[in-house]
C-alpha cells in the first residue's frame, strides 16, 4: 500500500534503481542527506562487467554493504538495500511493495555504447536488460504504486546530431498546412543509445494509456567524481571509469593526462555533446522529484549544462595540465565509432534551470581536482585499458573477448 505521505502529494520515499553505480550512488547519498527515505535497488551487474572484461574503477570503491554501513555511521541515516535484477519481475514487485516509494529514480541500465557494440551477445543483453527492466518498472508502478513518479535516466544521444536545433523532447512541425507538437526525431548511434529510445517510447505510451507520471531525463555526458557526500570518507568514494569501454570523454582525458598518455581524440574531434558535473546530476534528479508532473503526463528534460567538442575538452585538459606542471598532448586516434565528426549542435536545456538548477560550469578548479584525484590513484591505472578496441563496423555474431 502507498504511504500516507504519497497521498498528500509530497514525495518523501525514493527508490534509486542502479544506486550502486556512478550516478546512482552519488544521487542516493544526496537524497538521503536532503532528508528523503532512500532505498537502493541494484543487481551489482556493473561490478560483474569489470570482472568479465578486466576493467576497474580508478578509485577503489567499497562493497555496497560497506558503503551503506559507513554512510549510516557518518550521517545517522539508513539506506534500504534490495540486491536483485529488475528484469526479474517478482524481485522488483516485492521490493517495490516493501518500500512503497513516492518516486522511483531509474539509473539501472547497461550504459556503455562501446559495451553494446562488442558483439551480438552484448548488443542483445543491453537492449534486453534496459528495455525489459524499464517495462517491468512501468508494470510494477501501474499495478502496485499508481501515483508513483518515475524519473527515468535517458540520454541526449537519443537525438543524435541533427542539422537543426534540438528541443526538449518535443518539436512543433507545420506540414501541408497543419501543425502538431510531436516527439523530437530520434537518431541514436549505438545499440545502447537505441535502448534509451525504445524506453522513451514505452514510457510515453504508458503515461498516455495508463495515466502514469514520468520524467525522462535526457542526460548528457557526466564528469567529475566528488560530491559533498562521497568525499566524506574513502569508503564512500564513487567509481571513476577510465577504460575505453566504460570511461567517458572528459573523465578519461583527466586520467590520461595524469599518467602522461596522449589524449585519445577520436577522428577529427569535432564531435559535440552536452556535458554536466556529477554534482549537477544529483541536483537535477532532486529537482525532478520535488516538482512531479501530473498523472498522465510524460515530461522530458534535457539534462546538461554546457556543450563542448572533443577537441575543446582536450584543449582544456592540456591547459589545466600545464598549470600543474604536467606536459599533455592530444593524439588523433582512428575513430572506432560511426558518428559525425564535424556537425552543427545546439541543444535547448532550460527546463531544469527554470526549476532552480544552478549549474557548476566546467572550471579550472574542477579540472585541477579531477586531475589531482587521477594523480592520487595513478598507481591503479592499467595503460592497456586506454586505447579503444571496440569497432562499430566490426561488431559481429561471434562472442568476443576484449582487453585480453
Ligand atoms: P553505472 O553502470 O555506473 O550504474 C548503473 C547501475 O545499474 C550499476 O550499478 C548496475 O549494476 C545497475 N544495473 C544495471 N542493470 C540492472 C538491472 N537489470 N537490475 C538492477 N540493477 C541494474 O552507470 P551510470 O554512469 O551511473 O549511469 C546511470 C544511468 O544514467 C544510466 O541509465 C545511463 O544510461 C544514464 N546516463 C549516464 C551518463 C554518464 O555519463 N555516466 C550520461 C547520461 C546518461
Ligand atoms: N570520445 C573521444 N575519445 C575518447 C572517448 C570518447 O573522442 O577517449 C568521443 C566519442 O567518440 C563521442 C564523445 O567523445 O563522440 C562522447 O563519448 P563518451 O564515451 O564520453 O560518451 P557516450 O558514448 O556518448 O556515452 C556516455 C555515457 C552514456 C550516456 C552518454 C550521454 O556512457 O551512458 O548516455 O554519455 S550522450 O553522449 O549525451 O548521449
Amino acid at each position: 500500500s502507498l504511504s500516507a505521505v504519497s497521498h498528500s502529494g509530497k514525495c518523501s520515499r525514493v527508490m534509486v534503481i542502479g544506486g550502486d553505480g556512478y550516478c546512482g550512488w552519488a544521487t542516493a547519498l544526496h537524497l538521503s542527506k536532503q532528508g528523503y527515505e532512500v532505498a537502493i535497488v541494484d543487481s551489482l551487474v556493473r561490478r560483474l562487467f569489470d570482472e568479465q572484461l578486466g576493467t576497474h574503477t580508478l578509485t577503489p570503491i567499497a562493497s555496497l554493504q560497506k558503503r551503506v554501513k559507513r554512510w549510516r555511521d557518518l550521517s545517522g541515516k539508513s539506506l534500504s538495500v534490495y540486491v536483485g535484477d529488475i528484469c526479474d519481475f517478482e524481485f522488483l514487485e516485492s521490493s517495490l511493495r516493501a518500500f512503497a516509494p513516492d518516486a522511483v529514480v531509474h539509473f539501472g541500465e547497461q550504459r556503455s555504447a562501446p559495451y553494446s557494440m562488442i558483439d551480438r551477445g552484448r548488443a542483445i543483453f543491453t537492449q534486453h536488460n534496459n528495455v525489459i527492466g524499464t517495462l517491468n518498472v512501468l508494470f510494477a508502478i501501474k499495478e502496485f504504486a499508481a501515483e508513483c513518479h518515475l524519473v527515468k535516466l535517458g540520454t541526449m544521444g537519443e537525438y543524435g546530431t541533427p542539422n537543426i536545433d534540438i528541443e526538449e523532447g518535443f518539436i512543433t512541425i507545420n506540414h501541408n498546412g497543419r501543425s502538431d507538437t510531436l516527439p523530437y526525431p530520434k537518431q541514436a548511434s549505438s545499440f545502447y543509445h537505441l535502448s534509451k529510445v525504445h524506453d522513451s517510447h514505452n514510457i510515453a505510451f504508458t503515461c498516455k494509456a495508463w495515466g502514469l507520471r514520468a520524467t525522462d531525463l535526457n542526460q548528457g555526458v557526466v564528469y567529475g567524481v566528488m560530491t559533498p557526500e562521497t568525499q566524506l570518507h574513502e569508503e564512500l568514494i564513487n567509481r571513476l571509469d577510465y577504460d575505453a569501454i566504460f570511461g567517458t570523454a572528459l573523465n578519461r582525458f583527466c586520467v590520461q593526462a595524469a599518467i602522461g598518455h596522449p589524449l585519445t581524440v577520436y577522428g577529427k574531434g569535432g564531435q559535440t555533446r552536452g556535458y554536466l558535473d556529477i554534482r549537477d546530476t544529483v541536483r537535477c534528479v532532486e529537482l525532478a522529484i520535488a516538482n512531479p508532473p501530473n498523472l498522465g503526463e510524460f515530461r522530458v528534460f534535457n539534462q546538461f549544462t554546457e556543450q563542448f567538442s572533443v577537441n575543446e575538452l582536450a584543449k582544456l585538459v592540456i591547459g589545466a595540465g600545464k598549470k600543474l606542471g604536467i606536459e599533455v598532448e592530444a593524439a588523433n586516434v582512428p575513430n572506432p565509432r560511426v558518428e559525425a565528426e564535424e556537425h552543427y549542435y545546439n541543444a535547448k536545456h532550460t527546463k531544469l534551470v527554470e526549476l532552480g538548477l544552478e549549474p557548476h560550469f566546467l572550471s579550472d578548479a574542477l579540472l585541477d581536482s579531477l586531475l589531482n584525484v587521477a594523480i592520487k590513484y595513478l598507481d591503479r591505472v592499467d595503460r592497456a585499458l586506454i586505447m579503444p578496441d571496440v569497432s562499430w563496423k566490426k561488431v559481429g555474431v561471434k562472442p568476443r573477448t576484449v582487453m585480453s
Side-chain angles (χ1 to χ4, degrees), residues 29 52 115 219 241 314 368:
L29 293 193
Q52 293 174 335
Y115 185 96
Q219 187 169 238
D241 300 314
D368 284 2

Side-chain angles (χ1 to χ4, degrees), residues 110-114 154-158 190 192-193 196 218-222 244-250 252-253 256 263-267 269 271-275 310 313 335-337 339-340 345 386 388 392:
Q110 192 301 99
R111 70 113 174 113
S112 155
T155 178
M156 284 301 292
E158 290 184 38
S190 75
Y192 154 70
H193 287 97
K196 297 288 193 183
N218 283 341
Q219 187 169 238
V221 188
V222 183
I245 293 183
F246 293 101
T248 49
L250 182 60
R252 264 164 69 70
F253 285 0
Q256 292 167 357
L263 308 184
T264 53
V265 173
Y266 296 166
Q271 301 93 310
T272 303
R273 301 287 183 270
Y275 288 80
V310 177
L313 291 181
N335 197 341
R337 307 188 184 196
E339 61 185 358
Y345 200 76
I386 299 228
W392 263 226

Side-chain angles (χ1 to χ4, degrees), residues 17-25 41-47 49 84-88 91 106-112 125 129-130 133 152-156 192 196 217-223 239 241 246 248 251 276:
I17 303 176
D20 186 48
Y22 172 57
C23 299
W25 175 242
V41 173
D42 205 297
S43 62
L44 308 184
V45 71
R46 175 68 192 83
R47 293 178 187 249
F49 298 149
D85 185 340
I86 60 162
C87 292
D88 170 357
F91 161 75
H106 181 14
F107 291 102
E109 299 199 329
Q110 192 301 99
R111 70 113 174 113
S112 155
F125 171 84
N129 185 63
N130 297 1
K152 166 66 170 50
L153 272 290
T155 178
M156 284 301 292
Y192 154 70
K196 297 288 193 183
L217 295 175
N218 283 341
Q219 187 169 238
V221 188
V222 183
Y223 58 79
R239 63 175 314 119
D241 300 314
F246 293 101
T248 49
N251 290 347
L276 75 163

